[in-house]
Amino acid sequence: MAAGKNIFEEKTLGKARDIRMLAQLYPYIKTYWMILGLAVALMVAVTALELVIPYITKVTIDRYIVPQDAAVKENHSNPDRHLSVDISDPEIRNIITAHPDIFQIHEKSADISFDDLSKLPQDELARLRKKDIYGVMIMTGYLLITVAASFCFNFLLVVLLEYAGQMIMHDLRLDLFNHIQRLSIHFFTRNPVGRLVTRVTNDTQNMQEMFNSVIIFVIKDLFLVVGITFLLFYIDWRLALAVHAIFPLVFYASYKFAGTSRESYRTLRIKAAQMNSKLAETIGGMKVIQLFGQERSNFDSFKVINHDNYRAGMQQITIFAIFM
């Protein structure tokens, strides 16, 4: 039992030190600071463009589809919305003359109820709202340009971050491999091959995914949340306060998820290291296992480790599914 505990020391891992771990990556990150700086600038641009898209939709609806300056007249419990048109336009005057019963004429303008717009023929309706249709076309062009720019910037952002992440992990793997070769023989008697392979390959790959995910999702979403908050308070502070009322619950759920998911991931990492170690030792000592007839015993031992790895993976998936 003592030997087993010595082999799988990961069970005694201490508290996670995420900030200190990221600080140790700084020497590798600073080499690519120009690429990362450009990525941050692109991230801000992408966030701004993503905020512009719903704002363009808002302007299109409020200014051209259902204009904000449309008169709203109360009729008991039903508000009657009217569209105001300029009667100085000859085409609009001809339409008003042809349908005097659905227009309310004033000095320089005429009002028509939105409900009565459907009574007009399609060609007259198009002439009546030609400025609105032209405005919608212009805003559609702005929207397409914004979406295309967001796609290009986002594509370049992902490429830069992936390149930086790959190069950082490339340098880290080289240093780690060089460090392993300088360790004493005593170190390799206490650490099985499977664990070392897991550290050099799987763990560094997970660090790369963490590096890219943190930058792409966390920081980008943080910019997006700040931008949305600013726009909400600019448009309607009461609506913004109502939306942000659930933020304490969101922060608490995120805090609990971070701790639970960290523990489940560390458990999964331990089980993966155990499984890799068992597999490497079995292949390396196959002659000894067969010589003493320990195939069944060795299989049962691996079966237990493999099932524990499966349960750890299912636990991690369950935690993620509940949070999402």
Side-chain angles (χ1 to χ4, degrees), residues 267-288:
T267 301
L268 183 61
R269 189 183 67 176
I270 292 171
K271 299 305 177 183
Q274 291 179 354
M275 190 167 59
N276 290 338
S277 301
K278 186 69 175 178
L279 182 62
E281 290 174 353
T282 299
I283 295 176
M286 185 60 65
K287 290 183 178 181
V288 178

Side-chain angles (χ1 to χ4, degrees), residues 217-262:
F217 295 106
V218 177
I219 301 180
K220 179 182 175 183
D221 288 349
L222 182 61
F223 284 142
L224 190 61
V225 168
V226 171
I228 291 174
T229 300
F230 174 79
L231 285 179
L232 280 177
F233 276 99
Y234 175 76
I235 295 173
D236 191 334
W237 63 270
R238 290 163 295 185
L239 175 62
L241 289 178
V243 170
H244 287 74
I246 66 169
F247 268 40
L249 178 61
V250 173
F251 289 146
Y252 176 76
S254 301
Y255 172 76
K256 297 295 291 184
F257 167 75
T260 307
S261 63
R262 181 186 295 113

Side-chain angles (χ1 to χ4, degrees), residues 173 176 196-206 276:
R173 286 193 182 99
L176 184 58
L196 299 179
V197 171
T198 301
R199 294 292 175 268
V200 177
T201 57
N202 293 2
D203 287 358
T204 51
Q205 179 64 32
N206 291 334
N276 290 338

Side-chain angles (χ1 to χ4, degrees), residues 85-130:
V85 295
D86 186 7
I87 61 177
S88 61
D89 191 325
E91 289 187 350
I92 294 179
R93 273 203 312 270
N94 292 335
I95 296 173
I96 295 174
T97 303
H99 306 277
D101 53 328
I102 61 176
F103 284 92
Q104 298 179 6
I105 303 176
H106 306 292
E107 292 184 5
K108 297 182 179 180
S109 62
D111 295 339
I112 179 174
S113 171
F114 275 88
D115 295 334
D116 292 334
L117 289 175
S118 59
K119 298 179 182 179
L120 296 175
Q122 289 295 324
D123 58 334
E124 293 184 353
L125 182 60
R127 292 200 301 270
L128 185 69
R129 305 202 64 181
K130 59 182 180 181

Side-chain angles (χ1 to χ4, degrees), residues 285-295 297:
M286 185 60 65
K287 290 183 178 181
V288 178
I289 292 174
Q290 293 178 344
L291 180 63
F292 288 93
Q294 294 297 310
E295 294 91 336
S297 175

